[in-house]
Coordinates of all heavy atoms in Angstrom, one line a residue:
M9 N -0.9 -12.0 2.0 CA -1.3 -10.7 1.4 C -0.2 -9.7 1.7 O -0.1 -9.3 2.9 CB -2.7 -10.4 1.9 CG -3.2 -9.0 1.4 SD -3.4 -9.0 -0.4 CE -3.1 -7.3 -0.7
L10 N 0.4 -9.2 0.7 CA 1.4 -8.1 1.0 C 0.8 -6.8 1.3 O -0.2 -6.4 0.7 CB 2.3 -7.9 -0.3 CG 3.5 -8.8 -0.6 CD1 4.1 -8.3 -1.9 CD2 4.5 -8.6 0.5
Q11 N 1.3 -6.1 2.2 CA 0.9 -4.7 2.4 C 1.7 -3.9 1.4 O 2.9 -4.0 1.4 CB 1.4 -4.3 3.8 CG 0.4 -4.0 4.8 CD 1.0 -3.4 6.0 OE1 1.7 -2.3 5.9 NE2 0.9 -4.0 7.2
L12 N 1.0 -3.1 0.6 CA 1.7 -2.3 -0.3 C 1.9 -0.9 0.3 O 1.0 -0.1 0.3 CB 1.0 -2.1 -1.6 CG 0.8 -3.4 -2.4 CD1 -0.1 -3.2 -3.6 CD2 2.2 -3.9 -2.9
R13 N 3.0 -0.7 1.0 CA 3.2 0.5 1.7 C 3.4 1.7 0.7 O 4.1 1.5 -0.3 CB 4.3 0.4 2.7 CG 3.9 -0.6 3.8 CD 5.0 -0.7 4.8 NE 4.6 -1.8 5.8 CZ 5.4 -2.3 6.7 NH1 6.7 -2.0 6.7 NH2 5.0 -3.2 7.5
P14 N 3.0 2.9 1.1 CA 3.0 4.0 0.1 C 4.3 4.8 0.1 O 4.4 5.8 -0.6 CB 1.8 4.9 0.6 CG 1.8 4.6 2.1 CD 2.2 3.2 2.3
S15 N 5.2 4.5 1.0 CA 6.4 5.3 1.1 C 7.6 4.5 1.5 O 7.5 3.4 2.1 CB 6.1 6.5 2.1 OG 5.9 5.9 3.4
C16 N 8.8 5.1 1.2 CA 10.0 4.5 1.6 C 10.3 4.7 3.1 O 10.1 5.9 3.5 CB 11.1 5.1 0.7 SG 12.8 4.6 1.3
E17 N 10.6 3.7 3.8 CA 10.9 3.8 5.2 C 12.1 4.6 5.5 O 12.3 5.1 6.7 CB 10.9 2.5 5.9 CG 9.6 1.8 6.0 CD 9.6 0.5 6.7 OE1 10.4 0.4 7.7 OE2 8.8 -0.4 6.3
S18 N 13.0 4.7 4.6 CA 14.3 5.3 4.8 C 14.2 6.8 4.5 O 14.6 7.7 5.3 CB 15.3 4.7 3.9 OG 16.6 4.8 4.5
C19 N 13.7 7.2 3.3 CA 13.7 8.6 2.9 C 12.3 9.2 2.9 O 12.2 10.4 2.6 CB 14.4 8.8 1.6 SG 13.5 8.0 0.3
N20 N 11.3 8.4 3.1 CA 9.9 8.9 3.1 C 9.4 9.4 1.8 O 8.4 10.1 1.7 CB 9.7 10.0 4.2 CG 8.3 10.1 4.7 OD1 7.6 9.1 4.6 ND2 7.9 11.2 5.1
N21 N 10.1 9.0 0.7 CA 9.6 9.3 -0.6 C 8.3 8.5 -0.9 O 8.2 7.4 -0.4 CB 10.6 9.0 -1.7 CG 11.5 10.1 -2.0 OD1 11.3 11.3 -1.5 ND2 12.6 9.9 -2.7
N22 N 7.4 9.0 -1.7 CA 6.3 8.3 -2.1 C 6.6 7.1 -3.0 O 7.5 7.3 -3.9 CB 5.3 9.2 -2.8 CG 4.6 10.1 -1.8 OD1 4.5 9.9 -0.7 ND2 4.3 11.3 -2.3
L23 N 6.0 6.0 -2.8 CA 6.1 4.8 -3.7 C 4.8 4.4 -4.2 O 4.0 3.9 -3.5 CB 6.8 3.7 -2.9 CG 8.2 3.8 -2.5 CD1 8.6 2.7 -1.5 CD2 9.1 3.8 -3.7
A24 N 4.6 4.6 -5.5 CA 3.3 4.2 -6.1 C 3.3 2.7 -6.0 O 4.3 2.0 -6.1 CB 3.2 4.7 -7.5
A25 N 2.0 2.1 -6.0 CA 1.9 0.7 -5.9 C 2.5 0.0 -7.2 O 2.9 -1.2 -7.1 CB 0.4 0.3 -5.8
D26 N 2.6 0.7 -8.3 CA 3.2 0.1 -9.5 C 4.6 0.6 -9.8 O 5.1 0.4 -10.9 CB 2.2 0.4 -10.7 CG 2.0 1.8 -11.0 OD1 2.5 2.7 -10.2 OD2 1.4 2.2 -12.0
S27 N 5.2 1.2 -8.8 CA 6.6 1.7 -9.1 C 7.6 0.6 -8.5 O 7.2 -0.3 -7.8 CB 6.8 3.0 -8.4 OG 6.8 2.9 -7.0
T28 N 8.8 0.8 -8.8 CA 9.9 -0.1 -8.4 C 10.1 0.1 -6.9 O 10.5 1.2 -6.5 CB 11.2 0.1 -9.2 OG1 10.9 -0.1 -10.5 CG2 12.2 -0.9 -8.7
A29 N 10.0 -0.9 -6.1 CA 10.2 -0.8 -4.7 C 10.9 -2.1 -4.2 O 10.8 -3.1 -4.9 CB 9.0 -0.5 -3.9
Y30 N 11.5 -2.0 -3.1 CA 12.2 -3.2 -2.5 C 11.6 -3.5 -1.1 O 11.3 -2.6 -0.4 CB 13.7 -3.0 -2.4 CG 14.4 -3.1 -3.7 CD1 14.3 -2.0 -4.6 CD2 15.1 -4.2 -4.1 CE1 14.9 -2.1 -5.9 CE2 15.7 -4.3 -5.3 CZ 15.6 -3.3 -6.2 OH 16.2 -3.4 -7.4
I31 N 11.4 -4.8 -0.8 CA 10.8 -5.2 0.5 C 11.7 -6.3 1.1 O 12.3 -7.1 0.3 CB 9.4 -5.6 0.4 CG1 9.2 -6.8 -0.6 CG2 8.5 -4.5 0.0 CD1 7.9 -7.5 -0.5
C32 N 11.6 -6.4 2.4 CA 12.2 -7.6 3.0 C 11.0 -8.5 3.4 O 9.9 -8.2 3.1 CB 13.0 -7.2 4.3 SG 12.0 -6.8 5.7
T33 N 11.3 -9.7 4.0 CA 10.3 -10.6 4.4 C 9.3 -10.1 5.4 O 8.2 -10.5 5.5 CB 10.8 -11.9 4.9 OG1 11.7 -11.6 6.0 CG2 11.5 -12.7 3.8
F34 N 9.7 -9.0 6.1 CA 8.8 -8.4 7.1 C 8.0 -7.2 6.5 O 7.4 -6.5 7.2 CB 9.5 -8.0 8.4 CG 10.1 -9.2 9.1 CD1 11.4 -9.5 9.0 CD2 9.2 -10.0 9.8 CE1 11.9 -10.6 9.7 CE2 9.7 -11.2 10.5 CZ 11.1 -11.4 10.4
E35 N 8.2 -7.0 5.2 CA 7.5 -6.0 4.4 C 8.0 -4.6 4.8 O 7.3 -3.6 4.6 CB 6.0 -6.1 4.6 CG 5.5 -7.4 4.0 CD 4.0 -7.6 4.1 OE1 3.3 -6.7 4.6 OE2 3.5 -8.7 3.9
C36 N 9.2 -4.5 5.3 CA 9.8 -3.2 5.4 C 10.0 -2.8 3.9 O 10.4 -3.6 3.1 CB 11.2 -3.2 6.1 SG 11.2 -4.1 7.7
T37 N 9.7 -1.5 3.6 CA 9.6 -1.1 2.2 C 10.5 0.1 1.9 O 10.6 1.0 2.7 CB 8.1 -0.7 1.9 OG1 7.3 -1.8 2.2 CG2 8.0 -0.4 0.4
F38 N 11.3 0.0 0.9 CA 12.2 1.0 0.5 C 12.2 1.3 -1.0 O 11.8 0.5 -1.8 CB 13.7 0.6 0.9 CG 13.8 0.2 2.3 CD1 13.6 -1.1 2.8 CD2 14.0 1.2 3.3 CE1 13.7 -1.4 4.1 CE2 14.1 0.9 4.6 CZ 14.0 -0.4 5.0
C39 N 12.5 2.6 -1.3 CA 12.6 2.9 -2.7 C 13.9 2.3 -3.3 O 14.8 1.8 -2.6 CB 12.6 4.4 -2.9 SG 14.1 5.3 -2.3
E40 N 14.0 2.3 -4.6 CA 15.1 1.7 -5.3 C 16.5 2.3 -4.8 O 17.4 1.6 -4.6 CB 15.0 1.8 -6.8 CG 16.0 1.0 -7.5 CD 15.6 0.8 -9.0 OE1 15.0 1.7 -9.6 OE2 16.0 -0.3 -9.5
D41 N 16.5 3.6 -4.8 CA 17.7 4.3 -4.4 C 18.2 3.9 -3.0 O 19.4 3.6 -2.8 CB 17.5 5.8 -4.4 CG 17.9 6.5 -5.7 OD1 18.1 5.7 -6.7 OD2 18.1 7.7 -5.7
C42 N 17.4 3.9 -2.0 CA 17.8 3.6 -0.7 C 18.1 2.1 -0.6 O 19.2 1.7 0.0 CB 16.6 3.9 0.3 SG 16.3 5.6 0.5
A43 N 17.3 1.2 -1.2 CA 17.6 -0.2 -1.1 C 19.0 -0.6 -1.7 O 19.7 -1.3 -1.2 CB 16.5 -1.0 -1.8
V44 N 19.3 0.0 -2.9 CA 20.5 -0.3 -3.6 C 21.7 0.5 -3.1 O 22.7 -0.1 -2.7 CB 20.3 -0.1 -5.1 CG1 21.5 -0.4 -5.9 CG2 19.1 -1.0 -5.6
K45 N 21.6 1.8 -3.1 CA 22.7 2.6 -2.8 C 23.0 2.8 -1.3 O 24.2 2.9 -0.9 CB 22.5 4.0 -3.4 CG 22.5 4.0 -5.0 CD 22.3 5.3 -5.5 CE 22.0 5.3 -7.0 NZ 21.3 6.5 -7.5
V46 N 21.9 2.9 -0.5 CA 22.1 3.2 0.9 C 22.3 1.9 1.7 O 23.2 1.7 2.5 CB 21.0 4.0 1.5 CG1 21.2 4.3 3.0 CG2 20.8 5.3 0.7
H47 N 21.4 0.9 1.4 CA 21.3 -0.3 2.2 C 21.9 -1.5 1.6 O 22.1 -2.6 2.2 CB 19.9 -0.6 2.6 CG 19.2 0.6 3.4 ND1 19.8 1.2 4.5 CD2 18.1 1.3 3.1 CE1 19.0 2.1 4.9 NE2 18.0 2.2 4.1
N48 N 22.3 -1.4 0.3 CA 23.0 -2.5 -0.3 C 22.2 -3.8 -0.3 O 22.8 -4.8 0.1 CB 24.4 -2.6 0.2 CG 25.3 -3.4 -0.7 OD1 25.1 -3.5 -1.9 ND2 26.3 -4.0 -0.2
Y49 N 20.9 -3.7 -0.5 CA 20.0 -4.9 -0.6 C 19.9 -5.6 0.8 O 19.5 -6.7 0.9 CB 20.5 -5.9 -1.6 CG 20.5 -5.4 -3.0 CD1 21.7 -5.0 -3.6 CD2 19.3 -5.3 -3.7 CE1 21.7 -4.5 -4.9 CE2 19.3 -4.8 -5.0 CZ 20.5 -4.4 -5.6 OH 20.6 -3.9 -6.9
L50 N 20.2 -4.9 1.9 CA 20.0 -5.5 3.2 C 19.0 -4.5 4.0 O 19.2 -3.3 4.1 CB 21.3 -5.5 4.0 CG 22.2 -6.8 3.8 CD1 23.4 -6.7 4.7 CD2 21.4 -8.1 4.0
C51 N 18.0 -5.2 4.6 CA 17.1 -4.4 5.4 C 17.7 -3.8 6.6 O 18.3 -4.6 7.4 CB 15.8 -5.2 5.7 SG 14.7 -4.3 6.8
P52 N 17.7 -2.5 6.8 CA 18.4 -1.9 8.0 C 17.6 -2.2 9.3 O 18.2 -2.1 10.4 CB 18.4 -0.4 7.7 CG 17.2 -0.2 6.8 CD 17.1 -1.5 6.0
N53 N 16.4 -2.6 9.2 CA 15.6 -2.9 10.4 C 15.8 -4.4 10.9 O 16.0 -4.6 12.1 CB 14.1 -2.8 10.1 CG 13.7 -1.4 9.6 OD1 14.4 -0.4 10.0 ND2 12.8 -1.3 8.7
C54 N 15.8 -5.3 10.0 CA 15.8 -6.7 10.4 C 17.0 -7.5 9.9 O 17.2 -8.6 10.1 CB 14.5 -7.4 10.1 SG 14.2 -7.5 8.3
R55 N 17.8 -6.8 9.0 CA 19.0 -7.5 8.4 C 18.6 -8.5 7.4 O 19.5 -9.3 7.0 CB 19.9 -8.1 9.5 CG 20.5 -7.0 10.4 CD 21.7 -6.4 9.6 NE 22.0 -5.0 10.0 CZ 22.4 -4.1 9.1 NH1 22.6 -4.4 7.9 NH2 22.7 -2.9 9.5
G56 N 17.4 -8.6 7.0 CA 17.0 -9.6 6.0 C 17.4 -9.0 4.6 O 17.7 -7.8 4.5
N57 N 17.3 -9.8 3.6 CA 17.7 -9.2 2.3 C 16.5 -8.6 1.6 O 15.3 -8.9 1.9 CB 18.3 -10.3 1.3 CG 17.3 -11.4 1.0 OD1 16.6 -11.9 1.9 ND2 17.2 -11.7 -0.3
L58 N 16.7 -7.6 0.8 CA 15.7 -6.8 0.1 C 15.5 -7.4 -1.3 O 16.5 -7.6 -2.0 CB 16.0 -5.3 0.1 CG 16.1 -4.7 1.5 CD1 16.7 -3.3 1.3 CD2 14.7 -4.6 2.1
E59 N 14.2 -7.6 -1.6 CA 13.9 -8.1 -3.0 C 13.0 -7.1 -3.6 O 12.2 -6.4 -3.0 CB 13.2 -9.4 -2.9 CG 14.0 -10.6 -2.3 CD 15.0 -11.1 -3.4 OE1 14.9 -10.7 -4.5 OE2 15.8 -11.9 -3.0
R60 N 13.0 -7.1 -5.0 CA 12.0 -6.3 -5.7 C 10.6 -6.6 -5.3 O 10.3 -7.8 -5.2 CB 12.2 -6.6 -7.2 CG 13.3 -5.9 -7.9 CD 13.0 -4.4 -8.2 NE 12.0 -4.3 -9.2 CZ 12.2 -4.2 -10.5 NH1 13.4 -4.4 -11.0 NH2 11.2 -4.1 -11.3
R61 N 9.8 -5.6 -5.0 CA 8.4 -5.9 -4.7 C 7.7 -6.2 -6.0 O 7.8 -5.5 -7.0 CB 7.8 -4.6 -4.1 CG 6.4 -4.8 -3.6 CD 5.9 -3.6 -2.8 NE 5.7 -2.4 -3.6 CZ 5.3 -1.2 -3.1 NH1 5.1 -1.1 -1.8 NH2 5.1 -0.2 -3.8
P62 N 6.9 -7.3 -5.9 CA 6.1 -7.6 -7.1 C 5.0 -6.6 -7.4 O 4.6 -5.9 -6.4 CB 5.4 -9.0 -6.7 CG 5.5 -9.1 -5.3 CD 6.7 -8.2 -4.8
I63 N 4.7 -6.3 -8.6 CA 3.7 -5.3 -8.9 C 2.4 -6.0 -9.2 O 2.3 -7.0 -10.0 CB 4.2 -4.5 -10.2 CG1 5.4 -3.7 -9.8 CG2 3.1 -3.7 -10.7 CD1 6.1 -3.0 -11.0
S64 N 1.4 -5.6 -8.4 CA 0.1 -6.3 -8.5 C -0.6 -5.8 -9.8 O -0.6 -4.7 -10.2 CB -0.8 -5.9 -7.3 OG 0.0 -6.1 -6.1
P65 N -1.4 -6.8 -10.4 CA -2.2 -6.4 -11.5 C -3.3 -5.4 -11.1 O -3.7 -5.3 -9.9 CB -2.9 -7.7 -11.9 CG -2.3 -8.8 -11.1 CD -1.5 -8.2 -10.0
K66 N -3.7 -4.6 -12.0 CA -4.6 -3.5 -11.7 C -5.9 -4.0 -11.1 O -6.4 -3.4 -10.1 CB -4.9 -2.8 -13.1 CG -6.0 -1.8 -13.0 CD -5.5 -0.4 -12.8 CE -6.6 0.7 -12.9 NZ -7.7 0.5 -12.0
E67 N -6.5 -5.1 -11.5 CA -7.7 -5.6 -11.0 C -7.5 -6.0 -9.5 O -8.4 -5.8 -8.7 CB -8.2 -6.9 -11.7 CG -8.1 -6.9 -13.2 CD -6.7 -7.2 -13.7 OE1 -6.3 -8.3 -13.6 OE2 -6.1 -6.2 -14.2
F68 N -6.4 -6.4 -9.2 CA -6.1 -6.8 -7.8 C -6.0 -5.6 -6.9 O -6.5 -5.6 -5.8 CB -4.7 -7.5 -7.9 CG -4.2 -8.0 -6.5 CD1 -4.6 -9.3 -6.1 CD2 -3.4 -7.3 -5.8 CE1 -4.2 -9.8 -4.9 CE2 -2.9 -7.8 -4.6 CZ -3.3 -9.0 -4.1
L69 N -5.5 -4.5 -7.5 CA -5.4 -3.3 -6.7 C -6.8 -2.7 -6.4 O -7.0 -2.0 -5.4 CB -4.5 -2.3 -7.4 CG -3.0 -2.5 -7.3 CD1 -2.2 -1.5 -8.1 CD2 -2.5 -2.5 -5.8
D70 N -7.7 -2.9 -7.4 CA -9.0 -2.4 -7.2 C -9.7 -3.1 -6.1 O -10.4 -2.6 -5.3 CB -9.8 -2.6 -8.5 CG -9.4 -1.6 -9.6 OD1 -8.7 -0.6 -9.2 OD2 -9.7 -1.8 -10.7
Q71 N -9.4 -4.4 -6.0 CA -10.0 -5.3 -5.0 C -9.4 -5.1 -3.7 O -10.0 -5.1 -2.6 CB -9.9 -6.7 -5.5 CG -11.0 -7.6 -5.0 CD -10.8 -9.0 -5.5 OE1 -10.1 -9.3 -6.5 NE2 -11.4 -10.0 -4.9
Y72 N -8.1 -5.0 -3.7 CA -7.3 -4.9 -2.4 C -6.5 -3.6 -2.5 O -5.3 -3.7 -2.9 CB -6.4 -6.0 -2.2 CG -7.1 -7.4 -2.2 CD1 -7.0 -8.1 -3.4 CD2 -7.7 -7.9 -1.1 CE1 -7.6 -9.4 -3.4 CE2 -8.3 -9.1 -1.1 CZ -8.3 -9.9 -2.2 OH -8.8 -11.1 -2.3
P73 N -7.0 -2.4 -2.2 CA -6.3 -1.2 -2.4 C -5.0 -1.2 -1.7 O -4.9 -1.8 -0.6 CB -7.3 -0.1 -1.9 CG -8.6 -0.8 -1.8 CD -8.3 -2.3 -1.6
A74 N -4.0 -0.5 -2.2 CA -2.7 -0.4 -1.6 C -2.9 0.3 -0.2 O -3.7 1.2 0.0 CB -1.8 0.4 -2.5
S75 N -2.1 -0.1 0.7 CA -2.1 0.5 2.0 C -1.8 2.0 2.0 O -0.9 2.4 1.2 CB -1.1 -0.2 2.9 OG -0.9 0.5 4.1
T76 N -2.4 2.8 2.8 CA -2.1 4.2 2.8 C -1.4 4.5 4.1 O -1.1 5.7 4.4 CB -3.3 5.1 2.7 OG1 -4.3 4.6 3.7 CG2 -3.9 4.9 1.3
K77 N -1.1 3.5 4.9 CA -0.5 3.7 6.2 C 1.0 3.9 6.0 O 1.7 3.0 5.5 CB -0.7 2.5 7.1 CG -0.4 2.7 8.5 CD -0.9 1.6 9.4 CE 0.2 1.2 10.4 NZ 0.8 -0.1 10.2
R78 N 1.6 5.0 6.3 CA 3.0 5.3 6.1 C 3.8 4.7 7.3 O 3.3 4.9 8.5 CB 3.3 6.8 6.0 CG 2.5 7.4 4.9 CD 2.8 8.9 4.8 NE 4.0 9.2 4.1 CZ 4.1 9.4 2.8 NH1 3.0 9.4 2.1 NH2 5.3 9.7 2.3
V79 N 4.9 4.1 7.0 CA 5.7 3.6 8.1 C 7.1 4.2 7.9 O 7.7 4.1 6.9 CB 5.9 2.1 8.0 CG1 6.8 1.5 9.0 CG2 4.5 1.4 8.0
V80 N 7.5 5.0 9.0 CA 8.8 5.6 8.9 C 9.6 5.3 10.2 O 9.0 5.3 11.2 CB 8.6 7.2 8.8 CG1 10.0 7.8 8.7 CG2 7.7 7.5 7.6
K81 N 10.8 5.0 9.9 CA 11.6 4.7 11.1 C 12.5 5.9 11.5 O 12.9 6.6 10.6 CB 12.6 3.5 10.8 CG 11.8 2.2 10.7 CD 11.7 1.6 12.2 CE 10.4 0.8 12.3 NZ 10.1 -0.2 11.3
Ligands
ZN127 ZN1 14.1 5.8 0.0
ZN128 ZN1 13.0 -5.7 7.4

């Protein structure tokens, strides 16, 4: 079960659960700008590669609400 984090760990911008975001295997979460332009698809925390976060269907989000816990490094 993915944690859908609500913000970019790099710039702290809000990330809606259905917006474009990038995650690594440890679920470090970044906005598209940071993932692509700043980090070049590499997670700055763990050095894993960043992939597009899948977007959950609406029914799924109702059942498992997106995380509201902000993670900032
Ligand atoms: Zn960002
Ligand atoms: Zn990471």
Side-chain angles (χ1 to χ4, degrees):
M9 177 63 210
L10 275 178
Q11 247 189 56
L12 295 173
R13 293 183 183 165
S15 62
C16 170
E17 289 184 33
S18 206
C19 65
N20 204 27
N21 271 347
N22 289 329
L23 289 170
D26 60 354
S27 67
T28 302
Y30 284 76
I31 59 170
C32 77
T33 50
F34 297 103
E35 297 177 10
C36 309
T37 304
F38 302 93
C39 69
E40 186 166 33
D41 263 16
C42 291
V44 177
K45 294 180 194 159
V46 181
H47 303 306
N48 199 25
Y49 299 100
L50 277 183
C51 176
N53 302 327
C54 63
R55 293 280 152 214
N57 66 312
L58 295 169
E59 293 283 351
R60 278 281 293 273
R61 183 168 73 179
I63 292 171
S64 307
K66 172 95 177 54
E67 313 83 73
F68 182 86
L69 285 175
D70 288 342
Q71 206 177 342
Y72 305 98
S75 166
T76 52
K77 193 172 139 246
R78 303 178 81 91
V79 179
V80 183
K81 285 274 148 48

